[in-house]
Amino acid sequence: MIRFKNVHFRYNPHGRDILHDMNFTLKRGSYHFLTGPSGAGKTSLINLLFLGNIPTQGKITIFGQNINKASRKEMCTLRQNIGVVFQDFRLLPHLSAFDNVALPLRISGRPNNEIQSHVSELLDWVGLGDQKNNRPETLSGGQQQRVAIARAIIAQPKLLLADEPTGNLDDQIGFRLMGLFEQLNRMGTTIVIATHNPNIIEQFGHPCLRLVDGSVKQDNPALHIKKKIRHVF
Amino acid sequence: MFSKMIHNKIWQKPHRLLQHVQSRLPSFAFTSISNHIKSVINRLNKHNPLKRKNYDLPLDKNEDTHFLVLLIALMSFLAVLSISGTIAMDTMTNRWSSGLENKVTVEISVETKEGHILSQETIGQETLELYKMLSKHPDVKSADVLGYEDIQELLSPWLGDSMNMKDIPLPGLIAVELQNIDEDGLQAFTKDIEKTSRYAQLETHREWLSDLIHFTKTLQTLALIITIIIGFITVIAIAYAVRTRLALHHNEVELLHHMGARDNYIAEQFRGHAIALSFKGGVIGTAAGLVVTYALTLLSSHSGTDLIPVIHIGAWGIVILCAVPILVCIVAVATSQLTVLRNLAKMP
C-alpha cells in the first residue's frame, strides 16, 4: 500500500540528506509507531508520507500510485485520503472548531447536510460538542489537539498520520484517543504515529519504524505479534 | 454597503417574488413550479459573488482591503473620465465632419492678391454676380449670401457683441452646399468661380478640418493609451495584493493544499474576494466618474460661448461607461486567478 524504495530527501538542493536510502513497506490496515531521537527526521518522513514534500531521489508508492508519475489532480485525490494530525495542530485561527473540522469535507465537496451531521457527531465524540462555535484561541491546548485529531479523521482517510498526537493531552484523554486510532485501524485505516512516549508504544504494542540518523529500521513484526498476545492475555 | 444593497435588491428579490406567486397560485400547480424556481435560485446563489461567504482563508480581514478598494475606485474613476473623453471627442469629430461635408465658402476678400483694397460697393457687386452664377450651377444644392448680421454673429466670439461692424471693411461671403462631387468636379467648380469673379476664393474647410480631426484622433489615441495604462496599473495592483495575501496566508494556503484542496478551490477563495473588492471599488469609481462627466456635459452646454464644444456622450457611451465595473471585475478575476495558480504551481 505504501512503499518507499531508495528514497532520499533533502530540503536544500546543495545541503545534506535529511533522510537517506529509505526502504520500507506499510501494508494496508497496518499500524506503526514512528520513533527516533529529536532531529532524526520524523517530521520530514511524515511530510513525505502526506505528500507535503516530494523525494529528492527514489520512488514512493502510495495507494498503488507512484507519486513521481501522478498528475496534480491525482496528487489532490491522494492527499484527500490522508489525514494528518500536526504537532503544532495547524488549526485555522479565524474559523470555529466546527469549521476547522469541516474543512476536509468541504474540500472534497461533500453536501452541507452531511457536513453538518458528521462534524457535530464527531465533535460530540471527542467531547467538544459544546465548544463547536469557539475559535481555537479560546480553546486549551488539549482541546485544540482534539479538534486537530477530529479534522484528521472526519473524512475517514485510508492513511492517518499523527505527529506526537498525545503530546498535550492528559493520560486519560491520551489513551482514549489512542483507543480511537485503534478503532479506526480495525476499520481498515493504515496508521502511522510519531511518538516519543514509550508507555504508549509498550501499551499498544504495534511495530515500530525507528529513525536513526536519517535512515529507517523496521522492527520485526513477529516480535510485536508476540508482544501483543502477551498484552492481551 | 453597495454590495449588501445590490445583494438584497438582486438576489433576494426572487424569493419575495416566489412568496407573492405562492399566495396567488393553487397549491398543486405551485409545488412543481416552486421547486424548479428554488433550484434555479439556489444555483444562482451558489455563484453569487456578493453573497457573504465563509472563506477558509481570512482574506477579508486584511488591513489593506480598504486601500485596495480605494485604489480600484480611483482607477475606475480615471478610466471613466478617459473613456468619456474619447467618446466625447469621437462624437465631436463626427459632428464636425458631417456638419461640413459638401459645404464650402466662396469669399470676396477685402484685399486682393496684388494688395489692393476693394471698395464695399465692388465687393457687393462681385458677390451678387457670383450668387447669380451659383444659383444656376448644376453642382450647387443651395447658396446663401451672408449678411452683416451673420458675419457679426460669426465674429462675435472674438470681437464681442458691442463692436460696430459698419466701421470695419467686411469680405463678401457666400455659404454654398454642393451636390456630392468628386475632386475633379471640385476643380471644375473652382474654375467656374474664378471665371465669374477674379477676386473670388474658394474655401473648402478640408485642410483645417483634416488638421483638427488629426489632432482629435491623436488625443483619442492618447486617451486610449491612458486607459490601457490605468488597466495595466490595476492589474499590477491586484496581482501585488493577491501575492501579498498569498504570502500572508502562506501557512493556511499550504494547509489547504496538504489536505488535498485542488488549486482551483484555493484560487476560488481569492477570486471571490477579488470580485467583491473590485466590484465595490469599480462601482464607487464609476459613479464618481459619471457624476463628473455629467457635470462637464452641463458646464459645456451652458458655457454661453461657441469656443467650448458641447460634450455629448450618448446612450451607447453611457452603456460603455456603466460597463467599467464589470470590466474591472473581469480584470480582477483573471489577474487573481493567474497569480494564485502560478504561485500554487510552485507547491509540490
Side-chain angles (χ1 to χ4, degrees):
Chain A
M1 182 192 180
I2 294 165
R3 197 168 180 197
F4 275 52
K5 198 176 173 189
N6 304 326
V7 171
H8 292 251
F9 176 70
R10 60 175 71 163
Y11 287 103
N12 184 348
H14 305 293
R16 65 177 187 89
D17 279 351
I18 304 292
L19 302 171
H20 57 87
D21 204 22
M22 305 202 86
N23 289 287
F24 65 88
T25 305
L26 304 179
K27 284 187 181 159
R28 177 185 248 178
S30 63
Y31 193 136
H32 283 82
F33 287 117
L34 178 63
T35 61
S38 292
K42 290 195 295 292
T43 304
S44 300
L45 180 56
I46 294 274
N47 277 352
L48 285 180
L49 281 167
F50 73 76
L51 309 176
N53 284 316
I54 48 167
T56 321
Q57 208 182 311
K59 181 181 165 188
I60 298 177
T61 309
I62 292 181
F63 314 138
Q65 178 114 36
N66 180 357
I67 66 154
N68 296 336
K69 287 180 182 169
S71 69
R72 215 166 162 76
K73 203 176 168 186
E74 285 167 340
M75 287 286 267
C76 288
T77 312
L78 285 176
R79 286 189 184 108
Q80 285 176 15
N81 284 305
I82 303 171
V84 193
V85 183
F86 296 97
Q87 198 170 4
D88 53 356
F89 319 140
R90 298 202 199 167
L91 299 176
L92 297 185
H94 68 287
L95 295 183
S96 64
F98 181 94
D99 286 329
N100 266 292
V101 176
L103 263 182
L105 298 181
R106 282 215 189 102
I107 285 170
S108 54
R110 305 280 177 86
N112 272 338
N113 52 352
E114 189 185 318
I115 293 173
Q116 196 72 33
S117 64
H118 284 204
V119 175
S120 299
E121 198 181 323
L122 188 59
L123 279 171
D124 283 339
W125 197 90
V126 295
L128 292 171
D130 54 342
Q131 308 269 6
K132 64 179 180 184
N133 294 321
N134 291 356
R135 290 187 181 189
E137 62 189 6
T138 63
L139 302 175
S140 69
Q143 287 172 327
Q144 288 185 25
Q145 196 156 24
R146 277 184 273 164
V147 174
I149 290 166
R151 186 181 65 187
I153 63 175
I154 185 77
Q156 293 171 326
K158 287 185 193 170
L159 170 65
L160 179 70
L161 306 165
D163 201 355
E164 298 288 353
T166 55
N168 290 310
L169 303 177
D170 58 51
D171 280 354
Q172 198 191 343
I173 297 174
F175 276 96
R176 197 178 154 203
L177 281 165
M178 291 307 291
L180 167 70
F181 291 153
E182 290 283 325
Q183 217 172 316
L184 285 166
N185 181 239
R186 278 198 286 275
M187 287 161 69
T189 308
T190 309
I191 294 180
V192 178
I193 293 177
T195 182
H196 273 116
N197 193 334
N199 292 338
I200 286 179
I201 298 171
E202 184 66 28
Q203 175 91 26
F204 290 91
H206 292 295
C208 283
L209 292 168
R210 291 185 197 280
L211 266 174
V212 183
D213 293 333
S215 55
V216 72
K217 282 174 186 151
Q218 204 164 3
D219 283 356
N220 180 7
L223 199 78
H224 285 277
I225 292 166
K226 279 182 195 167
K227 267 188 188 175
K228 204 160 189 181
I229 291 167
R230 208 167 48 227
H231 174 70
V232 171
F233 294 101
Chain B
M1 193 189 82
F2 277 105
S3 58
K4 215 178 251 177
M5 196 174 79
I6 290 163
H7 170 249
N8 290 342
K9 291 262 177 209
I10 299 171
W11 299 91
Q12 288 193 348
K13 216 169 184 178
H15 285 288
R16 282 192 211 133
L17 190 73
L18 203 63
Q19 282 165 4
H20 178 72
V21 174
Q22 191 173 15
S23 63
R24 281 163 192 271
L25 268 175
S27 61
F28 64 90
F30 179 76
T31 316
S32 65
I33 298 168
S34 72
N35 286 343
H36 185 69
I37 295 172
K38 270 178 194 167
S39 74
V40 171
I41 293 168
N42 288 339
R43 233 175 293 160
L44 284 172
N45 272 332
K46 205 177 162 187
H47 300 287
N48 174 9
L50 302 171
K51 197 179 172 189
R52 192 163 173 79
K53 199 177 170 181
N54 188 12
Y55 293 113
D56 295 339
L57 302 169
L59 300 172
D60 49 348
K61 303 276 188 296
N62 288 107
E63 284 174 7
D64 64 340
T65 299
H66 297 303
F67 171 73
L68 200 64
V69 172
L70 185 72
L71 187 78
I72 292 172
L74 194 66
M75 290 300 153
S76 308
F77 174 73
L78 292 175
V80 167
L81 288 192
S82 174
I83 295 169
S84 55
T86 311
I87 295 168
M89 274 188 279
D90 195 51
T91 318
M92 220 147 46
T93 313
N94 284 341
R95 214 182 304 157
W96 286 338
S97 307
S98 59
L100 291 172
E101 205 174 25
N102 294 326
K103 284 182 181 168
V104 294
T105 306
V106 181
E107 180 188 1
I108 308 290
S109 290
V110 176
E111 192 178 359
T112 62
K113 285 171 191 166
E114 294 81 25
H116 303 301
I117 303 292
L118 294 176
S119 67
Q120 286 298 303
E121 201 181 352
T122 313
I123 290 170
Q125 277 173 0
E126 293 288 323
T127 308
L128 194 65
E129 285 299 312
L130 270 169
Y131 176 70
K132 281 178 186 167
M133 184 280 283
L134 290 168
S135 306
K136 291 169 191 163
H137 199 284
D139 290 335
V140 172
K141 214 175 189 178
S142 67
D144 292 303
V145 177
L146 301 184
Y148 273 111
E149 290 78 16
D150 299 323
I151 295 171
Q152 188 166 13
E153 198 185 328
L154 280 175
L155 294 175
S156 62
W158 286 270
L159 303 177
D161 294 331
S162 56
M163 193 77 187
N164 188 358
M165 292 293 175
K166 301 260 171 353
D167 301 337
I168 305 167
L170 292 175
L173 294 172
I174 305 168
V176 181
E177 191 178 350
L178 297 171
Q179 309 281 4
N180 287 328
I181 56 168
D182 56 12
E183 201 58 40
D184 292 339
L186 191 69
Q187 276 180 8
F189 179 69
T190 311
K191 277 180 189 163
D192 289 342
I193 287 170
E194 284 169 354
K195 257 190 246 167
T196 313
S197 168
R198 62 192 178 101
Y199 304 119
Q201 287 169 7
L202 186 69
E203 173 60 69
T204 59
H205 313 298
R206 285 183 187 188
E207 206 170 307
W208 70 266
L209 187 63
S210 89
D211 283 347
L212 200 64
I213 288 171
H214 183 70
F215 179 67
T216 50
K217 291 279 178 207
T218 309
L219 285 179
Q220 275 181 307
T221 312
L222 197 69
L224 193 70
I225 291 169
I226 290 169
T227 312
I228 292 168
I229 291 171
I230 290 167
F232 191 62
I233 293 170
T234 311
V235 167
I236 291 172
I238 293 168
Y240 182 75
V242 170
R243 282 182 65 178
T244 309
R245 278 162 174 74
L246 274 168
L248 273 173
H249 303 294
H250 177 76
N251 290 340
E252 289 96 328
V253 170
E254 198 180 51
L255 180 76
L256 293 180
H257 179 70
H258 290 160
M259 287 172 127
R262 295 214 156 82
D263 291 352
N264 206 39
Y265 178 89
I266 299 169
E268 198 185 324
Q269 312 245 334
F270 285 88
R271 204 165 57 214
H273 183 61
I275 290 176
L277 290 193
S278 55
F279 190 74
K280 208 185 274 184
V283 167
I284 294 168
T286 305
L290 284 173
V291 169
V292 171
T293 306
Y294 181 66
L296 287 175
T297 312
L298 282 183
L299 208 68
S300 69
S301 59
H302 292 96
S303 65
T305 166
D306 292 339
L307 282 175
I308 298 171
V310 176
I311 296 170
H312 183 71
I313 301 294
W316 273 111
I318 291 166
V319 170
I320 291 169
L321 293 177
C322 288
V324 168
I326 297 161
L327 279 174
V328 172
C329 276
I330 293 169
V331 167
V333 166
T335 310
S336 134
Q337 184 82 359
L338 283 175
T339 313
V340 175
L341 291 182
R342 275 183 66 183
N343 275 271
L344 289 178
K346 292 172 191 164
M347 289 184 181

